Amino acid sequence: MEQIAFYLFSVLTIGLFLVTVLSNNVLYAMTSLAAGMVLISGFFFLLGADFLGVVQLVVYVGAVMALYSFGMMFFDATKDIKEKNTSSYLVFFLSGMIALTLVIMFSAPIMGENIIASYPIMAGATNPQAVGLVLFTKYLVPFEVAAVMLLVAMISGIILAGKKMDDSLTTKDENHEEDDTFSRKDIK
Amino acid sequence: MDAIIIETIVKAALVIAVFSALAGFGTFIERKILAFMQRRLGPMHVGPFGILQIAADGIKLFTKEDIIPQHANKFIFMIAPIITAATAFIALAAVPIFPEFTVFGYTIHPIVADINVGILFILGAMASGLYGPLLAGMAQANKWGIIGSARTAILFMSYEVVTGLSLLAPIMLVGSLSLIDFNAAQTGGVGEWLVWQQPVAFILFIIAGFAETNRTPFDILEHEAEIISGYATEYSGMRWGMFFIGEYANMITISFMASLIFFGGFNEWGILPGGLAILLKVSFFFFLMLWVRASWPHIRPDQLMWLCWKVLMPIAILNVLITGLVMML
Amino acid sequence: MSLNKFKDRNVGVQNYTLIEHEAFPQTGGEKFARVLKRTIKGELFVGLWVTMRTMILALFNGEIHTVKYPFEKLPISPRYRAIHDMLRLLESGHYRCIGCGLCEKICIADCIKMDTKYDENQRKEVTEYTINFGRCIFCGYCAEVCPELAIVHGGRYETASQQRASFSIFDDMLTPIDALKEQKEYPGFGAVSPNADDNIKKTPLAY
């Protein structure tokens, strides 16, 4: 049962990500990316890591949505973009790597029998609790570093975007600048 | 094992059947209530009080021509409404609808899948439901549609943070992500309802829920007066209907979440049995959405972003901080 | 008189009042104060109460303003100019039209067509009378000019039809003979004013 589900999910995920990489249409690429991300959360559910699966769902749905908005700004979604793939070496290389990955995937269960988990699942702890325990004990330093990095990124994002935040284009109160922009547009 | 599978399938089928019917009924209720609030009669002619209008509309939607615009991206255009409807029902799968009851000596838990991270699952599923409008708007080769999908992205990025942060405080209090645990935490009657401990979180959640279900103060995706019908401009027939089934199912889900998390869920309420109590609460929240639609104007996208990022998110973070401090002391 | 006076198109008395706006908040603190004020003031709940009150009144007090149109109609003004009626003489029941042809002459849309002949009493008889409602602009000149108050405007304003002839046959416009008792004088355009009797003056014949 689990194996069927695993292979179904993996085939679907790889197929979808292939579409992401190979498609010329931004809409197909984005959609398959989002669907692949959603399907990856299926692996977490299969492993019994409900919390991580849901987090994967929530986080990547939002992240790909942000990518979509870039896609919307840069491309006409309904047109195919003509691209030429000139390098046949690249195709050879990629297909070889795919074959290698498949071999590793299928042989992984055999190798996996020898692996002993260094942090086995604690009895009685539910999923979020287990994640929390690991995050705040073993991985405390990377966690905090990641948090600081995100904070830095957020602050710099606000500074980059917020330079002209005080000049709202829509809520101007009978300002003369507004008239100017209109007249400039008219001249054009 | 087989019994569980059969039970789950039956439950899933029941949820889909009942809630798509309820979504249809929701459109009728909405039309009626909006009509009364505007001194009109609403649908009157089909059946008693116009109640068969749902059936008439259903027949119309099913038999209408399914138009796909010439330059649209056909595949994406066709699957977009299915995403909305499907994710709405997937989200409903993790909602405990009634208290458990016994039929012929067999105890039934009226929840399709009791995963222990129910709240996050519902939020995630509903969030991915917004891919429906997004893809629909981008695939239909229509400028109003593009604006609609751009606004979808805006809406999503605005409300998502607030929903998560507002629910964090009650989650900290209860110490679980399962809606059943939330329900169990409020068994002690009205006094134990979480809304008394977390009024701010409740208000934030309701505001974010309105945004999440694309209801009126934040219905920027398809506001008719501004962008024709936004993402649904080119849709017709059943595909258009599926967007609506999804929207109304989402409204019901949000109502269920608000009642379960903040208003005691399906516990007995005075003399009312639990099943009736939650029905009343859910109906009230559903009615609240219609009531607000009749009363308030909608806001601009930039106002939505301003509200969510500059007002609601700081309040939510403060709420979480204060809750944490109070719990530690 | 200057040219300015002609250019001023605001005819009538101007009673405009300017609505007082609050000053737009400039600083961040003022904005914050406004947000706080609007949040606490509960204006939104006033809006909620307004709609709720309307709903309660509509449900329990019957204050519903819907007119179920095909089943009930709003009264229209007596001076409304809809499809014409041809009236009859109250005493004899004969139609009032004397075939003078004034309405045909005055019709600015040129839509009235009539044909007459002398009958055995040497009285004008209307053999054919049609109004082309595809052209009629419902100006009311025919009713105004009619010396016998024979052609008037009725109240049939639902003028959608599959063919024009449905409205324009003389017999259709004529009051049915059995409904003669219900025939009402037309108070509108061209009719005698209610105080017509008072306005009658003796013709000054004595020079």
Side-chain angles (χ1 to χ4, degrees), chain A:
Chain A
M1 189 74 181
E2 266 185 14
Q3 278 185 343
I4 297 170
F6 172 74
Y7 284 117
L8 181 74
F9 274 133
S10 37
V11 167
L12 276 175
T13 314
I14 292 172
L16 282 166
F17 283 143
L18 272 181
V19 173
T20 311
V21 177
L22 298 178
S23 168
N24 287 336
N25 189 319
V26 65
L27 209 49
Y28 286 137
M30 291 290 197
T31 313
S32 54
L33 182 64
M37 290 298 181
V38 170
L39 282 179
I40 280 182
S41 71
F43 290 113
F44 288 108
F45 284 121
L46 275 183
L47 291 170
D50 292 354
F51 181 72
L52 283 183
V54 171
V55 166
Q56 164 88 15
L57 195 70
V58 173
V59 168
Y60 277 97
V61 161
V64 179
M65 187 79 86
L67 271 181
Y68 260 109
S69 50
F70 284 112
M72 211 184 303
M73 285 185 263
F74 293 148
F75 301 108
D76 184 353
T78 49
K79 281 204 185 93
D80 274 338
I81 294 154
K82 294 276 181 295
E83 264 185 81
K84 259 193 176 170
N85 196 353
T86 46
S87 162
S88 53
Y89 293 107
L90 190 69
V91 178
F92 273 124
F93 178 70
L94 281 178
S95 39
M97 289 310 283
I98 288 169
L100 190 65
T101 321
L102 277 177
V103 169
I104 291 172
M105 265 171 60
F106 280 101
S107 58
I110 306 162
M111 315 266 280
E113 284 170 7
N114 302 325
I115 296 173
I116 300 157
S118 47
Y119 287 87
I121 298 171
M122 280 153 285
T126 53
N127 231 309
Q129 280 169 333
V131 173
L133 279 176
V134 173
L135 269 188
F136 284 99
T137 51
K138 178 161 193 240
Y139 297 109
L140 180 62
V141 177
F143 182 73
E144 292 296 336
V145 170
V148 170
M149 271 176 68
L150 284 176
L151 187 68
V152 169
M154 193 176 81
I155 291 171
S156 53
I158 289 172
I159 289 172
L160 281 178
K163 273 178 187 163
K164 292 191 173 177
M165 217 180 238
D166 290 335
D167 305 339
S168 171
L169 286 174
T170 43
T171 52
K172 260 182 197 162
D173 183 39
E174 295 179 14
N175 256 340
H176 302 294
E177 288 173 43
E178 212 168 19
D179 299 341
D180 283 349
T181 49
F182 275 121
S183 57
R184 237 178 283 145
K185 238 182 241 170
D186 290 347
I187 291 163
K188 270 179 196 172

Side-chain angles (χ1 to χ4, degrees), chain B residues 147-288:
Chain B
I147 298 174
S149 53
R151 286 178 170 209
T152 310
I154 287 170
L155 179 93
F156 178 83
M157 294 183 187
S158 309
Y159 83 77
E160 186 68 5
V161 178
V162 182
T163 325
L165 284 177
S166 68
L167 284 183
L168 199 54
I171 288 170
M172 279 158 66
L173 281 180
V174 174
S176 169
L177 285 165
S178 163
L179 281 171
I180 292 181
D181 288 349
F182 264 91
N183 185 64
Q186 307 175 59
T187 38
V190 179
E192 294 228 331
W193 286 1
L194 271 180
V195 68
W196 310 127
Q197 294 180 48
Q198 290 289 343
V200 179
F202 168 68
I203 292 167
L204 294 177
F205 175 73
I206 277 292
I207 293 174
F210 273 66
E212 185 153 10
T213 49
N214 183 18
R215 293 302 299 176
T216 274
F218 315 113
D219 67 335
I220 56 174
L221 309 198
E222 44 161 347
H223 195 252
E224 289 87 354
E226 287 171 1
I227 49 170
I228 313 295
S229 195
Y231 65 89
T233 306
E234 296 282 4
Y235 278 89
S236 62
M238 205 50 218
R239 291 190 197 284
W240 182 82
M242 267 194 271
F243 276 125
F244 268 69
I245 289 174
E247 183 180 333
Y248 281 83
N250 274 340
M251 282 163 72
I252 295 172
T253 314
I254 283 287
S255 308
F256 263 111
M257 279 183 84
S259 350
L260 280 166
I261 295 173
F262 293 101
F263 280 84
F266 46 74
N267 291 310
E268 286 175 16
W269 184 13
I271 49 163
L272 282 176
L276 206 59
I278 192 159
L279 271 189
L280 271 180
K281 291 165 195 168
V282 169
S283 321
F284 171 74
F285 283 114
F286 196 85
F287 174 73
L288 184 71

